[in-house]
Amino acid sequence: MNKNIVLKAENINKYFRVPTLFHVLKDISFEIEKGEFVSIMGKSGCGKSTLLYILSTMDTDYNGALFLDGEDLSHKSADQLAFIRNQHIGFIFQFHYLLQEFTVLENVMLPAKKLGIKSLEEIEHDAIEKLRLLGIADQAKKLSMRISGGQKQRVAIARALINKPSIIMGDEPTGNLDSKNSEIVFSILKELSEEEKLSLLVVTHDIDFAKKTNRIIEMEDGRIIS
Amino acid sequence: MNYPLIFSIAKTHLVSRFKQSAVAALGVTFGIGTFITMIGFMTGLNDLLDGLVLNRTPHVHLYNEIKISEKQPIDFITNPAEELSIVRSVQPKFNQIRIHNALPILDFLNKDKRVKGAIPQIKVQVFYKAGAVNLNGILNGIEPLQEDRLFNIGDYVIEGNVQLLKNTPSGIILGAGVADKLKLSLGDRIYISSPNGALFQLKIVGIYQSGLAEVDDIQSYVNVKMAQRIMGQSESYITDINVKLHDLALSVDMASQLSQQFNVSAIDINAANAQFDTGTSIRNIITYAVSITLLIVAGFGIYNILNMLIYEKMNDIAILKATGFSGKDVQYIFITQAMVIGIIGGSLGLIVGFLLSVLIDNTPFKTEAVPTLETFPVNFDPVYYIIGIIFALIATFLAGYLPSRKAKNIDPVEIIRGQ
Ligand SMILES: Nc1ncnc2c1ncn2[C@@H]1O[C@H](COP(=O)(O)OP(=O)(O)O)[C@@H](O)[C@H]1O
Ligand SMILES: [Mg+2]
C-alpha cells in the first residue's frame, strides 16, 4: 500500500434498519493522501454525515474496510477505536461542541491529557501555541460558554490539532457561522493544510470554498458520483 | 486509565452543579448521621443494660433446690421396666437449704484457675419489726468487700458504703423500700426477728437501691457471721455460692460440671438472663433497619440527581467519546461523582453523628434503676463509624452505578446527529 495514503475506504456499505430498511451508503471507496485537503459535497440527506461518522470510527455498524495510516480499523474493539480517535483523528462538528463548564484552555488540553504522553506543562504550552495559531490565545482562561460562535469553532479546531492527528475531519464546520467567521475558519483550515501538511476531509455546502480545496468528492443518494 | 483527569472532570461537573451535589451529599449525611447517633445510643443502652446484668449476676450460682425426689420409695422395690407404679400427691422431701460441705467447695473453687472468685451467701427469712408492724424480709449474709469486688454491690448502695458494713459486725445495709416504709435512715437501729423468733438489733450502715421495688422492699445485706448468728448456725452454714469466672463463655459448662460434682443445683448466667439477649438483638435490628431505610432514600436521591446530570451532560459525553474517551472512562467520571458525594456526605454524616452523640452523652438522665448513671449512655465504638462510612460508600456506589452504565453506553453519533 502506498505510504502516502492516510485514509482509505473500501466498498463501504451501510444500512439503516429502522424505521425501514434503507441502503444509505453504497460501495463507497476512495483514498486521501497525506497533506491533501478534500471536500465532500452533495445534497442534504445523501449520506455525507453518515459517511463521516464511519470514517471517524464513531460508527462501527457498516460493511467494508477502512484503513488509517495503513492500519485496518474494521475489526477493532470499541476501546481500541477510542484510542485511535484520540491520537490520530481530529473532529470538528457543525455545532460548536465544547465542554461548557471548562475553560477554553482546558477544552483544548483535554485530548492530550487523555492521551497522557506529554507532561502537563508541555500540554499547556502546546495548547496555548495552538490557540495562538488560531488567533484566540487571549480567550484561553475564559469559560468556553462565554465566547462567540466563531471563537468556539476555532477552539474546536485547536482541540482537533492538539494531538497532531493524521487527519482532521469536519462536518460542515462553517455551516453554523456567519460569512465572515466562515471565511476565517476556512482560511485557517487551508493554511493548516498548506503549511503544516495536514490532511483534511471536510463536508461543505459552500461551492466557493470547495473549489479552493485540492479535490471535491461529490455524493448523491449514498454513492460517490465524482 | 487516567484517574487525575477523570477526577478533574468529575470535580468540574460537581462544582458547576454545586446545589444539586450538596443536596445529594446532605441526603447521605442525614442517613449516616442518623445511623451513628442511633447505633451509638442503642448500643450504649444495650451495653449498660447488659453490664447491669453481667455486673451483678453470678456467672454460676450454686444452691440447694427444694424439689421432688426423682426416685420415689416405691421405685426401690419395683422394677420400673416391668411394673407401672403410680404415686399420687407427691410431696418434696425435707431438704436442708444449706449446701453440704460448702466450705470445701468454696476452697476448691477459689483454687480453680478459671474462677475469678467464689463467695458464700446466706439467705435468711426474717421480719423487719417496727412497733406493731412486721415486714417480711430476706437478709443476705455476704462478705461485703468480696461481694463488691465481684458483683459491684457498692454501685447500688446509695447511702453509706460496704466498708462500713465490714467494720460493723451488727451492721445492715437496708433495702431502700424497707427504709422508706419504716421511716428509717442511716445510723438508725432496726429490730429484726429470726425464723425461730429471736430478736436482733442491727445498725443501719447503708441503704441499698437496685431500682426493682420488689427487691428493695424486701432485701437487705448483713455480714456472713451475722446471718449465721441469726439462723443460730455454725460458720459452715452457707445457702448459696456465687461464682464469677474470668471467661463468661465457660459458665454453661462450669455449671453442669459443678452440679454433678457436688450434687447441688447450679444455674449459669445465660439461663438466668436469656431475655436480655433478645432485647439487645431487637434494638440492633431496629437501628440497622432505620439506617438502611434512610440510606436507601439518600441513594435514590443520588440516583435521581446523577440521572438528571447525565441527561444534561449528553453533549459532554458525546464530545468526550468523539475525542477518544472510552465508555469506561465516561462511566468512571460519573461513578467518581457518586463516590465523591458519598465520601463527603458520609464523612459529614460521621461528624454530625459524633456531635449528636456527644450532645446525648451530656444530656442529664437520672433513673432509679441505675443510681450510678448521670447522663444517657452512648457508645463511641469506632467500629460503627467504619460501618457507617462503608454503608455510605456502598449506597452511593450502587446509586451511581446504574446511571453511569447508561452514560457508558450512550452512542455519540446519536447525540451529534440529534443537533
Ligand atoms: N439513525 C437513522 N436512522 C434512519 N435513517 C437515518 C438515520 N440517520 C440518518 N438517516 C437518514 O440517512 C440519510 C443520510 O443522512 P445524513 O448522513 O445525515 O445526510 P447528510 O449529512 O448528507 O445530510 C438521510 O436520508 C437520513 O434521513
Ligand atoms: Mg449532515
Side-chain angles (χ1 to χ4, degrees):
Chain A
M1 188 185 281
N2 187 340
K3 270 249 166 76
N4 272 331
I5 303 292
V6 174
L7 186 73
K8 180 176 175 174
E10 254 179 24
N11 284 320
I12 288 188
N13 279 280
K14 179 174 172 73
Y15 299 83
F16 285 120
R17 290 172 191 85
V18 225
T20 54
L21 190 70
F22 174 39
H23 195 173
V24 56
L25 295 177
K26 298 159 190 162
D27 297 324
I28 304 278
S29 300
F30 66 94
E31 292 175 350
I32 293 174
E33 283 177 28
K34 203 164 161 52
E36 219 183 352
F37 188 171
V38 179
S39 53
I40 302 180
M41 295 199 71
K43 286 203 198 85
S44 181
C46 71
K48 306 181 296 292
S49 297
T50 307
L51 176 60
L52 222 52
Y53 298 142
I54 290 173
L55 298 179
S56 68
T57 77
M58 283 191 280
D59 185 354
T60 52
D61 180 20
Y62 63 90
N63 299 320
L66 187 62
F67 298 89
L68 184 72
D69 292 326
E71 203 179 342
D72 186 357
L73 301 184
S74 351
H75 301 292
K76 299 240 183 237
S77 74
D79 284 358
Q80 286 171 320
L81 289 176
F83 180 73
I84 287 166
R85 275 202 297 285
N86 183 231
Q87 190 165 22
H88 299 298
I89 301 174
F91 205 95
I92 310 166
F93 308 96
Q94 176 174 4
F95 296 89
H96 3 82
Y97 265 109
L98 300 178
L99 300 183
Q100 300 282 326
E101 292 138 352
F102 292 71
T103 65
V104 164
L105 187 61
E106 282 169 336
N107 265 287
V108 177
M109 289 168 71
L110 206 63
K113 283 193 196 166
K114 168 61 193 161
L115 189 58
I117 290 176
K118 294 182 176 175
S119 75
L120 218 59
E121 291 77 37
E122 283 177 286
I123 293 173
E124 187 166 341
H125 176 266
D126 284 3
I128 290 176
E129 191 88 323
K130 300 293 178 220
L131 287 173
R132 190 168 297 131
L133 190 70
L134 294 160
I136 42 169
D138 53 330
Q139 310 289 320
K141 296 290 174 193
K142 280 194 189 170
L143 277 186
S144 56
M145 57 175 136
R146 304 219 195 288
I147 58 175
S148 76
Q151 289 171 328
K152 280 182 186 167
Q153 203 56 302
R154 280 187 267 170
V155 176
I157 296 172
R159 183 180 63 196
L161 290 171
I162 190 77
N163 282 344
K164 292 201 168 44
S166 313
I167 186 166
I168 287 187
M169 303 181 196
D171 190 0
E172 304 184 35
T174 61
N176 207 31
L177 300 177
D178 57 37
S179 58
K180 184 169 155 275
N181 270 308
S182 300
E183 202 148 338
I184 294 173
V185 166
F186 192 84
S187 58
I188 288 169
L189 292 179
K190 183 84 186 145
E191 230 173 82
L192 286 171
S193 103
E194 280 165 7
E195 288 169 19
E196 316 258 326
K197 290 280 164 276
L198 208 67
S199 316
L200 285 150
L201 177 62
V202 174
V203 171
T204 180
H205 274 128
D206 192 324
I207 184 70
D208 294 333
F209 288 167
K211 275 180 182 160
K212 292 184 207 156
T213 62
N214 302 139
R215 178 152 62 102
I216 301 176
I217 294 176
E218 264 205 76
M219 284 181 69
E220 201 177 289
D221 285 338
R223 263 182 227 286
I224 293 178
I225 52 170
S226 74
Chain B
M1 186 83 40
N2 186 340
Y3 286 108
L5 177 59
I6 282 171
F7 186 78
S8 81
I9 296 172
K11 195 182 97 188
T12 308
H13 279 171
L14 285 175
V15 171
S16 64
R17 297 253 163 322
F18 184 78
K19 241 196 211 155
Q20 282 154 304
S21 316
V23 167
L26 282 180
V28 180
T29 302
F30 190 62
I32 298 298
T34 313
F35 169 72
I36 292 295
T37 314
M38 277 187 62
I39 199 101
F41 190 39
M42 288 291 195
T43 56
L45 216 56
N46 279 346
D47 289 353
L48 178 87
L49 294 175
D50 290 356
L52 283 184
V53 174
L54 296 182
N55 277 343
R56 57 176 163 182
T57 313
H59 293 173
V60 180
H61 178 197
L62 302 181
Y63 61 105
N64 240 345
E65 199 171 15
I66 293 183
K67 58 183 172 196
I68 287 155
S69 306
E70 273 173 29
K71 217 169 177 187
Q72 292 293 325
I74 181 123
D75 295 328
F76 288 99
I77 54 168
T78 60
N79 184 346
E82 288 171 7
E83 296 166 65
L84 181 66
S85 54
I86 296 172
V87 185
R88 290 185 199 281
S89 199
V90 182
Q91 304 290 331
K93 162 185 162 206
F94 173 74
N95 235 358
Q96 269 191 307
I97 302 171
R98 63 183 289 181
I99 298 175
H100 278 294
N101 295 323
L103 292 178
I105 294 178
L106 274 169
D107 253 11
F108 173 86
L109 285 173
N110 278 317
K111 277 185 196 130
D112 193 319
K113 284 207 174 57
R114 294 169 294 177
V115 172
K116 192 172 169 193
I119 51 175
Q121 239 186 34
I122 295 138
K123 284 201 160 61
V124 186
Q125 294 253 340
V126 295
F127 289 111
Y128 302 108
K129 300 185 79 86
V133 183
N134 276 348
L135 280 184
N136 244 322
I138 295 174
L139 290 189
N140 274 321
I142 57 168
E143 288 173 356
L145 298 187
Q146 293 293 349
E147 189 77 24
D148 188 36
R149 176 175 76 91
L150 297 173
F151 303 114
N152 303 293
I153 186 183
D155 287 352
Y156 305 97
V157 177
I158 53 171
E159 285 176 58
N161 58 53
V162 288
Q163 184 68 48
L164 269 175
L165 181 62
K166 163 107 181 143
N167 298 344
T168 319
S170 64
I172 181 171
I173 295 179
L174 196 62
V178 185
D180 206 37
K181 283 186 186 159
L182 302 182
K183 298 280 170 285
L184 293 168
S185 54
L186 211 61
D188 289 347
R189 282 165 201 281
I190 180 172
Y191 285 96
I192 60 131
S193 77
S194 74
N196 34 33
L199 265 189
F200 293 84
Q201 191 199 47
L202 299 174
K203 184 179 177 205
I204 300 171
V205 295
I207 305 288
Y208 170 88
Q209 187 183 65
S210 68
L212 298 172
E214 62 264 41
V215 173
D216 298 340
D217 281 355
I218 291 173
Q219 193 157 295
S220 297
Y221 291 90
V222 295
N223 285 302
V224 166
K225 290 243 161 52
M226 191 65 216
Q228 286 161 344
R229 252 184 69 202
I230 293 171
M231 282 305 288
Q233 295 278 2
S234 72
E235 69 173 53
S236 65
Y237 179 85
I238 286 165
T239 60
D240 302 78
I241 293 174
N242 288 335
V243 185
K244 186 148 192 170
L245 304 174
H246 290 291
D247 182 3
L248 174 68
L250 296 175
S251 61
V252 178
D253 289 346
M254 195 80 177
S256 66
Q257 182 206 328
L258 292 177
S259 128
Q260 281 180 6
Q261 188 173 353
F262 299 117
N263 193 24
V264 290
S265 300
I267 187 160
D268 64 83
I269 186 167
N270 295 342
N273 295 286
Q275 76 274 23
F276 274 92
D277 266 357
T278 324
T280 302
S281 54
I282 285 179
R283 274 187 292 271
N284 279 339
I285 289 171
I286 292 174
T287 306
Y288 279 96
V290 169
S291 308
I292 286 173
T293 310
L294 286 170
L295 276 178
I296 288 175
V297 173
F300 271 108
I302 295 175
Y303 174 83
N304 268 331
I305 284 169
L306 275 185
N307 248 342
M308 243 166 57
L309 189 75
I310 284 166
Y311 275 111
E312 281 175 29
K313 293 290 171 212
M314 286 291 193
N315 278 348
D316 283 25
I317 294 169
I319 297 165
L320 289 171
K321 288 192 170 173
T323 55
F325 284 76
S326 67
K328 270 234 165 61
D329 292 331
V330 172
Q331 179 171 28
Y332 281 131
I333 289 174
F334 288 95
I335 285 203
T336 303
Q337 296 184 32
M339 297 312 281
V340 167
I341 289 174
I343 291 170
I344 293 179
S347 307
L348 275 178
L350 295 187
I351 295 172
V352 167
F354 176 76
L355 293 180
L356 278 175
S357 298
V358 168
L359 195 73
I360 294 174
D361 195 32
N362 286 306
T363 306
F365 177 66
K366 279 267 170 211
T367 169
E368 294 215 321
V370 195
T372 46
L373 200 64
E374 302 277 324
T375 57
F376 280 111
V378 177
N379 186 348
F380 287 96
D381 191 340
V383 163
Y384 297 117
Y385 291 73
I386 293 168
I387 293 178
I389 197 76
I390 289 175
F391 259 20
L393 295 186
I394 291 176
T396 47
F397 178 81
L398 292 180
Y401 183 74
L402 291 176
S404 78
R405 268 214 6 191
K406 191 157 66 189
K408 175 188 173 183
N409 294 327
I410 282 173
D411 178 2
V413 171
E414 258 172 53
I415 311 295
I416 294 166
R417 210 190 266 288
Q419 284 277 347

